[in-house]
Amino acid sequence: MLARLQAFGWDCLEADGHDVEAVLAALLRMKGQANGRPKALIARTKKGHGVPLLEGADLCHITNPKPDLLDTLLGNS
């Protein structure tokens, strides 16, 4: 994706999408590039990040866990 956007003249940066400070730093850096070109920030993330039982699971965005599983996922058990 990055190379494709750059091929069309976009200024592109990548950042760890789970690191708020890294995303903010990238956005501020892009804001300082006043060259008239469109800009894109690629925020690299993992599905279910921070929840070991869901991390990387294809269906983690649509799962509807039962209350007991929710407690396990949140570390409340």
Side-chain angles (χ1 to χ4, degrees):
M1 175 61 83
L2 187 68
R4 187 176 295 174
L5 287 169
Q6 289 172 329
F8 282 97
W10 287 63
D11 285 336
C12 301
L13 286 177
E14 290 182 280
D16 177 352
H18 301 294
D19 182 346
V20 175
E21 290 181 8
V23 171
L24 178 59
L27 289 171
L28 291 173
R29 183 172 165 202
M30 292 172 80
K31 183 179 178 182
Q33 297 173 341
N35 58 11
R37 293 172 26 171
K39 293 162 186 26
L41 173 61
I42 308 297
R44 300 287 178 200
T45 60
K46 291 182 185 177
K47 296 176 195 168
H49 177 74
V51 183
L53 293 174
L54 294 179
E55 194 162 307
D58 290 334
L59 300 178
C60 73
H61 289 289
I62 61 169
T63 190
N64 187 12
K66 303 276 189 254
D68 57 330
L69 178 57
L70 188 57
D71 283 339
T72 301
L73 293 172
L74 296 174
N76 297 333
S77 57

